[in-house]
């Protein structure tokens, strides 16, 4: 087996990540071709059972067979499998790949250091301000162009991404906007798959369509551009793209067509995106020029030289930071007590938070209907917002109970039910956001700022609900080892979004409560919003 590495040469001392397919281990003493830092992706037992080993071997052999310039280009943009990892019997356990370059990480006081997935960018400016991320419209266009160039060239090489989603595409903004693709073993190589194709929820092709084709990639790329330029997680409206240029708007509309044959190829986006970049930022520097660097000409793993190349990639948040994040989550969900141990989160639900009940909303609405002076209009609009806040009380309690049910490891049925509850809660947040968009606060002092902070809070809460729902699904599928609930990437994402929601809610109530009191309305606690 060409390029195979015995597992007993590798380390499992430092875990960098764990997901549905397995675990990623750092290999600090190794380099690929004396160049890139190495990680080991070890498949779960379930993935090993369905693994098509010869296809993994073909992936390992793919890059060395390419022309050197093409190999440089591909290795600069993808975490491509460099060597299969085998046990003593020759069975494949996983593979080695380059570690994600450090420019594709984001650092945040709320969530530590994390891979810079595109999901960060699919939010409005209020959310980006909270996480300390500044992105211009021109940078968004450059990222879309860079990804279009990458996908077009991969298609020309016989590669299809398949599960093209914000988690599998990382971004950098400096020194120039660019993309880096991970989970490359999920790609389809010349019609062959290492593992069965899977799709990320809300990023799937239309029902009944083959999921890993060039047309499927074109559909998901169009969806990504729509959401990237709109700054929204789940929109399918190409209107924001059409505002940039009619040419791009037409491409976006065609990419979302349910008929695969009606969609333009990803390469068709390059010219329009370059013209849009030029219009927004000036001439675009060359995107597809391969950068110099090691080529996997003969996939080998050698000991790290004391003077060898490579940079230190920021580590995942440490134990103290993770504990702080869990406590932030507990605060958001309204837990009264939490016990945190190795692989275990168990909690006791606390009494519901204080706050004005929704039953008072009709009386407040009547004030709004009779408003005829500026003061009356302000009071009526504030009362309307207060009624909207009251609608969220039940959702918060449902989320608390659902997360507690998963954390208790009571069984797959309860975890699946919790997942459904969490998705329903996210849907309720979406409805609140829709109602907020139509809520007039023009007469309320600081009304637009209040609306922005509340929108950021509810958006982050909805993202947290969906992340915890995916976590519940994985717990239902994989179970709990010795009663310990697993902490997956979706759990981490839920914690991060919960922390962002908490920050936004605290900022909101700091402005809202004095204003509410001036209108004779009760103040609210951040954890009750």
């Amino acid at each position: 087996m060409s390029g195979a590495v015995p597992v007993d040469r590798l380390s499992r001392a430092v875990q960098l990540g764990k997901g549905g397919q397995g675990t990623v281990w750092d290999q600090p003493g190794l380099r690929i071709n004396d160049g890139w830092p190495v990680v080991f992706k070890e498949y779960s037992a379930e993935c090993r059972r369905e693994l098509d080993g010869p296809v993994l071997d073909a992936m390992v052999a793919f890059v060395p067979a390419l022309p050197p310039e093409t190999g440089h280009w591909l290795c600069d943009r993808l975490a491509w499998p460099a060597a299969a990892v085998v046990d003593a019997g020759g069975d494949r356990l996983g593979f080695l790949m380059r570690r994600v370059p450090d420019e594709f990480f984001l650092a945040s006081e709320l969530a530590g250091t994390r891979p810079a997935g595109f999901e960060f960018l699919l939010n409005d400016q209020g959310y980006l301000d909270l996480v300390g991320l500044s992105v211009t419209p021109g940078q968004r266009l450059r990222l879309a162009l860079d990804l279009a160039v990458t996908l077009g060239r991969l298609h020309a090489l016989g590669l299809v991404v398949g599960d093209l989603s914000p988690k599998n595409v990382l971004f950098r903004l400096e020194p120039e906007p660019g993309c880096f693709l991970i989970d490359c073993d999920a790609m389809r190589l010349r019609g062959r798959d290492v593992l069965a194709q899977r799709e990320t929820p809300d990023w799937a092709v239309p029902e009944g369509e083959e999921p890993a084709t060039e047309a499927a990639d074109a559909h998901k790329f169009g969806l990504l551009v729509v959401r990237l330029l709109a700054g929204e997680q789940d929109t399918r409206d190409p209107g924001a793209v059409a505002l940039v240029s009619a040419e791009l708007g037409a491409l976006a509309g065609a990419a979302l067509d349910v008929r695969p044959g009606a969609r333009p190829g990803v390469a068709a986006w390059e010219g329009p995106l370059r013209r849009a970049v030029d219009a927004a930022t000036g001439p675009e520097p060359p995107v597809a020029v391969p950068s110099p660097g090691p080529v996997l000409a003969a996939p080998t793993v050698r000991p790290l030289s004391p003077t060898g190349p490579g940079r230190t990639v920021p580590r995942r948040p440490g134990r103290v930071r993770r504990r702080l994040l869990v406590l932030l989550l507990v605060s958001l969900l309204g837990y009264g007590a939490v016990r945190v141990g190795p692989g275990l989160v168990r909690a006791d639900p606390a009494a519901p938070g204080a706050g004005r009940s929704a039953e008072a909303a009709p009386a407040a609405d009547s004030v709004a209907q009779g408003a005829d002076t500026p003061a009356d209009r302000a009071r009526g609009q504030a009362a309307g917002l207060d009624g909207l806040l009251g609608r969220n009380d039940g959702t918060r309690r449902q989320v608390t109970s659902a997360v507690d049910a998963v954390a208790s490891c009571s069984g797959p049925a309860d975890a699946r039910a919790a997942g459904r509850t969490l998705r329903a809660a996210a849907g309720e947040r979406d409805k609140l956001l829709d109602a907020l968009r139509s809520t007039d606060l023009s007469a309320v002092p600081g009304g637009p700022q209040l609306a922005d902070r509340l929108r950021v809070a509810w958006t982050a809460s909805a993202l947290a609900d969906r992340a915890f729902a995916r976590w519940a699904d994985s717990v239902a599928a994989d179970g709990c080892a010795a009663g310990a609930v697993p902490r997956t990437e979706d759990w981490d994402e839920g914690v991060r979004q919960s922390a962002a929601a908490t920050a936004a809610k605290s900022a909101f109530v700091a402005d809202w409560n004095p204003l509410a009191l001036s209108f004779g309305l009760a103040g609210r606690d951040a954890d009750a919003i």
Side-chain angles (χ1 to χ4, degrees):
M1 189 188 308
S2 175
V5 175
V7 70
D8 59 12
R9 290 182 53 191
L10 304 178
S11 168
R12 293 187 178 94
V14 179
Q15 178 180 309
L16 296 180
K18 187 172 183 178
Q21 291 187 345
T23 305
V24 176
W25 305 98
D26 193 19
Q27 304 299 313
L30 300 177
R31 289 280 189 263
I32 295 176
N33 287 350
D34 296 323
W36 291 311
V38 178
V39 297
F40 166 33
K41 180 174 180 178
E42 183 176 20
Y43 287 126
S44 66
E46 180 182 358
C47 284
R48 290 200 298 272
R49 284 192 293 269
E50 71 170 75
L51 174 71
D52 190 328
V55 181
L56 179 59
D57 294 345
M59 280 197 158
V60 169
F62 178 70
V63 168
L66 294 173
E69 179 183 287
T70 305
H72 280 301
W73 173 86
L74 188 144
C75 293
D76 195 48
R77 291 166 175 266
L78 281 74
W80 190 257
V85 175
V86 297
D87 61 16
D91 291 332
R92 302 165 185 86
L93 302 180
F95 61 92
L96 300 181
M97 59 184 173
R98 69 173 297 188
R99 200 162 57 185
V100 173
D102 55 358
E103 63 262 32
F104 291 96
F105 280 78
L106 288 178
S108 163
E109 289 186 3
L110 288 176
T113 300
R114 300 179 58 87
F118 259 58
E119 69 264 21
F120 281 97
L121 302 175
L122 309 188
N123 294 286
D124 62 18
Q125 190 57 50
Y127 173 86
L128 297 181
D129 289 342
L130 280 177
V131 299
L133 185 59
S134 177
V135 187
T136 68
Q139 287 173 321
R140 291 178 184 268
L141 287 168
R142 287 183 187 269
L143 288 172
L145 173 57
D146 187 79
L147 184 57
V149 169
T150 300
L151 293 177
R153 194 160 182 185
L154 291 179
H155 288 175
L157 292 172
L159 284 168
V160 174
V161 175
D163 187 18
L164 181 62
S165 72
K167 282 195 171 183
N168 294 336
V169 183
L170 308 184
F171 73 92
R172 71 175 180 217
L173 298 178
E174 300 294 341
E176 64 183 41
C179 303
F180 189 84
L181 275 61
I182 59 175
D183 284 349
C184 298
D185 54 317
M187 294 183 180
R188 177 168 286 179
L189 173 62
R190 295 169 179 165
R192 305 170 68 196
D193 300 319
V194 174
L195 298 168
Q197 285 292 325
R198 295 170 173 83
E199 293 188 292
T200 300
D202 294 329
W203 293 88
V205 294
E207 187 175 357
E209 181 180 338
E210 174 67 27
T213 65
E214 291 186 17
D217 276 5
H219 177 79
K220 295 177 184 180
F221 175 76
L223 195 58
L224 186 62
V225 173
V226 166
R227 294 173 177 179
L228 175 65
L229 298 189
E232 296 183 22
Q233 290 279 342
D234 53 8
T235 183
R236 291 178 178 269
D237 181 2
V241 183
L243 288 176
V244 176
S245 82
E247 190 177 23
L248 287 175
L251 280 172
L256 302 187
D257 198 303
V258 297
R259 300 165 297 171
R263 299 172 198 149
V266 175
W269 287 79
E270 291 185 28
L273 280 169
R274 289 185 191 279
R275 287 187 283 277
V277 165
D278 289 346
T281 65
E284 165 69 16
V287 172
V289 174
S291 63
V295 180
L296 306 186
T300 59
V301 181
R302 303 184 181 127
L304 175 63
S305 164
T307 58
R311 291 167 293 184
T312 300
V313 178
R315 296 287 192 262
R316 292 166 63 87
R319 180 181 299 273
V320 173
R321 185 177 295 279
R322 181 178 292 277
R323 186 178 294 268
L324 289 173
L325 290 177
V326 171
L327 291 175
L328 282 171
L329 168 66
V330 169
S331 174
L332 170 69
L333 297 180
Y335 288 172
V338 62
R339 180 162 57 93
V340 180
L344 177 64
V345 177
R346 301 293 294 273
D348 297 321
R356 182 174 179 269
S357 66
E359 284 75 5
D365 290 341
S366 67
V367 174
Q369 293 170 1
D372 55 7
T373 68
D376 289 337
R377 284 194 295 275
R379 186 179 300 107
Q381 290 176 4
L385 179 58
D386 183 70
L388 189 59
L389 295 173
R391 287 171 49 183
N392 195 46
D393 285 345
T395 302
R396 181 182 62 83
R397 287 190 293 271
Q398 292 169 6
V399 169
T400 299
S401 299
V403 172
D404 186 51
V406 182
S408 69
C409 287
S410 56
D414 287 346
R416 283 193 292 270
R420 291 192 294 271
T421 298
L422 288 161
R423 287 190 175 86
E428 290 303 313
R429 314 265 199 199
D430 292 341
K431 292 177 183 177
L432 288 170
L433 285 165
D434 288 341
L436 180 61
R437 292 186 189 98
S438 61
T439 298
D440 184 7
L441 296 176
S442 59
V444 176
Q449 179 176 314
L450 282 169
D452 283 344
R453 287 181 173 172
L454 189 56
R455 182 172 60 254
V456 170
W458 281 344
T459 297
S461 290
L463 292 173
D465 295 341
R466 291 188 168 95
F468 286 125
R470 296 191 297 272
W471 168 63
D473 293 343
S474 66
V475 172
D478 300 336
C480 301
V485 62
R487 295 181 182 177
T488 66
E489 291 180 0
D490 289 317
W491 161 266
D492 289 341
E493 176 70 6
V495 170
R496 184 181 69 81
Q497 296 290 357
S498 296
T502 297
K505 291 176 182 182
S506 297
F508 171 81
V509 298
D511 289 342
W512 166 254
N513 284 347
L515 190 65
L517 292 174
S518 72
F519 289 122
L521 304 170
R524 291 189 178 271
D525 295 329
D527 63 359
I529 293 176

